[in-house]
Amino acid sequence: MQTWAELEKIQPLASKLITNSIRRDRISHAYLLQGERGTGKEAIALLIAKGIFCENKIGIEPCNACSNCRRIVSGNHPDVHLIEPDGKSIKKEQVENLQKEFTYSGLESNSKVYVIKDADTLTVNASNRILKFLEEPSIQTTAIMLTENSRSIISTIRSRCQVIDLKPLNPIYFKQQLIENGMDKESASLMSALTNNQKEAFAWNEDEWFAEARKLMVQLVEMFSSKPEDVYLFLHSHLVPHLKDRNDQERGLDLLLLAFKDILYYHIGNEDALVFFQSNNSLLEKLAMRFSQEKLMDILNAILQAKRKLKQNVQPTLVFEQLTLQIKR
């Protein structure tokens, strides 16, 4: 999304709130953009930055052609700083380096913009240090904090930001976008259930790792049905080695969630909603006989609980072992 007009199609309320501030020259000193992955958080952050630095704005719209706009997109603008987690969290030292930048004038203008990705991963010390800027804002400095989980951000930070909630994107609209851009219908159905980011969707669709992860999840679900005594061995010999980091593990759980959702949809006769087992009704019939609707609801809740544990940095192998035991009961 390169313009506010494009963003308005998917986030009309957020777009209206921010563009009204731009028209009145009242951009907030700090924003907290909260919404699911792919809802446009980073696009909004870049549009705000372009609005501040663009040399040839047309009304509220950036030109997307000047040197400043191009450097903001490429991440090379000297007065636009991005902070993202170092490992699993944003560390105190990263914020200290940011605070040093606060003391300098902008290199090319008197304005500065800081974008803090995954702001919910700020450590306690890092959160307390970022408050220094939020409590003593410079009128020429703008902080933009992005998060999928605003409840993990301390209240003192939230209270000093303009909080903007981004609504989930319509998966039907997104699926149609993917198809129009060349993705086959079956893949588009699956990807639109996993992400709202078009670039990410096409990357995953062509990724050998993703194809193998999907294959492993099919095998795992089948094994729960036909050879439950072998699941634990399969987990440690195949699944855990393939899901190497938190992003992999979260995607694995997302695929597993969709697989069990499909079994539930098949149970209740909603076959139009299938996304994981779209062309495998014979397998679905066998799985539906193995898992009751009540059991499937318990499994879906267990997978969601496992996702929360990963977010809380519980040891991943332990998370998957516990989930396996809950599904096998």
Side-chain angles (χ1 to χ4, degrees):
M1 289 170 284
Q2 296 283 324
T3 66
W4 289 109
E6 290 176 338
L7 184 75
E8 187 178 12
K9 295 177 182 178
I10 62 170
Q11 296 293 350
L13 182 57
S15 177
K16 183 176 181 180
L17 286 171
I18 300 172
T19 54
N20 282 345
S21 298
I22 293 173
R23 288 190 180 95
R24 297 170 185 167
D25 197 24
R26 292 182 180 177
I27 292 178
S28 175
H29 79 280
Y31 290 98
L32 176 59
L33 307 179
Q34 55 186 27
E36 297 175 3
R37 183 174 58 188
T39 48
K41 297 185 292 295
E42 290 187 47
I44 293 173
L46 293 180
L47 281 168
I48 293 172
K50 289 177 186 177
I52 294 170
F53 293 108
C54 179
E55 301 164 357
N56 303 305
K57 281 194 297 184
I58 305 168
I60 61 168
E61 296 286 13
C63 70
N64 288 310
C66 68
S67 172
N68 283 343
C69 283
R70 294 199 306 271
R71 286 186 296 169
I72 287 169
V73 171
S74 65
N76 294 319
H77 196 289
D79 294 323
V80 179
H81 302 267
L82 173 68
I83 296 181
E84 51 189 333
D86 178 9
K88 294 183 178 179
S89 62
I90 296 174
K91 310 290 194 301
K92 176 183 68 175
E93 294 75 18
Q94 292 176 269
V95 179
E96 287 175 344
N97 291 332
L98 184 61
Q99 287 176 316
K100 289 178 184 177
E101 292 291 336
F102 291 163
T103 64
Y104 306 138
S105 297
L107 294 178
E108 296 186 5
S109 72
N110 291 323
S111 299
K112 282 178 173 286
V113 171
Y114 303 91
V115 180
I116 304 176
K117 291 181 63 176
D118 297 324
D120 51 286
T121 66
L122 283 160
T123 64
V124 174
N125 284 336
S127 295
N128 289 331
R129 287 184 177 274
I130 206 70
L131 278 172
K132 178 175 175 60
F133 163 69
L134 297 174
E135 290 172 343
E136 301 173 6
S138 162
I139 60 171
Q140 295 174 314
T141 304
T142 302
I144 308 170
M145 307 179 73
L146 316 179
T147 181
E148 294 180 33
N149 182 19
S150 62
R151 289 174 294 181
S152 295
I153 295 176
I154 60 175
S155 59
T156 44
I157 287 180
R158 287 179 56 85
S159 65
R160 287 161 176 79
C161 297
Q162 181 177 353
V163 180
I164 296 180
D165 292 300
L166 304 181
K167 68 175 186 177
L169 299 189
N170 185 333
I172 297 175
Y173 170 79
F174 183 65
K175 174 184 172 181
Q176 189 58 39
Q177 280 188 316
L178 295 177
I179 293 171
E180 289 173 1
N181 283 281
M183 189 177 291
D184 66 88
K185 185 176 179 181
E186 185 171 319
S187 296
S189 294
L190 176 61
M191 293 303 165
S192 63
L194 288 168
T195 179
N196 289 315
N197 185 299
Q198 189 168 139
K199 182 179 179 181
E200 191 172 59
F202 276 94
W204 289 358
N205 196 43
E206 298 168 2
D207 187 0
E208 291 182 9
W209 178 95
F210 186 87
E212 180 64 18
R214 185 179 180 185
K215 177 182 174 182
L216 288 173
M217 289 304 166
V218 172
Q219 293 174 337
L220 178 64
V221 174
E222 284 187 286
M223 200 167 288
F224 276 122
S225 174
S226 59
K227 296 181 180 178
E229 67 278 4
D230 293 337
V231 167
Y232 197 78
L233 178 61
F234 180 81
L235 177 71
H236 285 277
S237 60
H238 292 86
L239 203 60
V240 170
H242 191 67
L243 308 178
K244 294 178 180 178
D245 59 33
R246 195 177 85 172
N247 286 335
D248 290 350
Q249 292 145 12
E250 288 181 351
R251 275 190 280 174
L253 287 177
D254 286 338
L255 287 169
L256 192 61
L257 187 71
L258 292 178
F260 278 105
K261 275 186 175 180
D262 271 12
I263 303 171
L264 181 60
Y265 289 143
Y266 187 83
H267 248 298
I268 62 179
N270 188 10
E271 296 180 30
D272 290 339
L274 301 179
V275 295
F276 191 86
F277 292 114
Q278 295 174 64
S279 55
N280 203 337
N281 278 10
S282 60
L283 175 58
L284 274 173
E285 184 176 0
K286 182 175 72 172
L287 293 172
M289 293 176 65
R290 168 65 177 82
F291 299 103
S292 67
Q293 291 185 34
E294 183 179 4
K295 177 61 178 177
L296 287 167
M297 292 302 298
D298 289 339
I299 290 173
L300 294 176
N301 285 327
I303 297 172
L304 292 173
Q305 186 179 19
K307 284 169 63 72
R308 287 192 290 270
K309 287 179 180 177
L310 282 183
K311 290 284 189 183
Q312 295 163 358
N313 292 327
V314 178
Q315 210 281 331
T317 301
L318 178 61
V319 171
F320 278 91
E321 288 176 347
Q322 291 176 337
L323 177 59
T324 296
L325 291 174
Q326 288 175 295
I327 295 175
K328 285 177 65 176
R329 283 176 191 162

